[in-house]
């Protein structure tokens, strides 16, 4: 088996889709109800930089400052 130094590039006329798709960014605003895989249910109480820097979430027993990407947090 040969290892090539250059990565594989799809042909422009290929019927197969390129696998490099970007997931849509999550956007949270103050007052949103959210769920987090590790912390549970909560409410957004502050947003820094329009959500690009961090989001402060109140989970009842504690407050957490979460930074993007918000892969474990979902809007309800």
């Amino acid at each position: 088996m040969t290892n090539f130094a250059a990565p594989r590039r799809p042909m422009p006329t290929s019927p197969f889709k390129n696998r490099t798709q970007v997931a849509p960014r999550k956007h949270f605003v103050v007052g949103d109800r959210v769920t987090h895989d590790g912390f549970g249910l909560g409410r957004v109480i502050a947003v820094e930089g329009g959500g690009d820097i961090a989001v402060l979430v109140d989970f009842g027993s504690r407050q957490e400052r979460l930074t993007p990407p918000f892969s474990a947090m979902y809007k309800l």
Side-chain angles (χ1 to χ4, degrees):
M1 182 184 257
T2 305
N3 291 333
F4 296 103
R8 240 176 213 217
R9 293 183 295 153
M11 295 182 69
T13 58
S14 174
F16 303 105
K17 291 187 176 185
N18 193 357
R19 294 183 189 213
T20 58
Q21 295 179 0
V22 177
R25 292 185 46 200
K26 295 182 182 180
H27 180 72
F28 298 101
V29 295
V30 175
D32 280 348
R33 298 275 306 177
V34 296
T35 181
H36 190 276
D37 291 345
F39 301 120
L41 296 173
R43 183 176 302 271
V44 175
I45 57 174
V47 177
E48 297 177 24
D52 294 333
I53 298 175
V55 174
L56 185 64
V57 182
D58 181 17
F59 290 105
S61 61
R62 65 204 229 173
Q63 294 180 358
E64 290 290 328
R65 182 179 180 268
L66 304 169
T67 58
F70 305 108
S71 58
M73 189 163 68
Y74 304 96
K75 190 183 297 190
L76 296 177

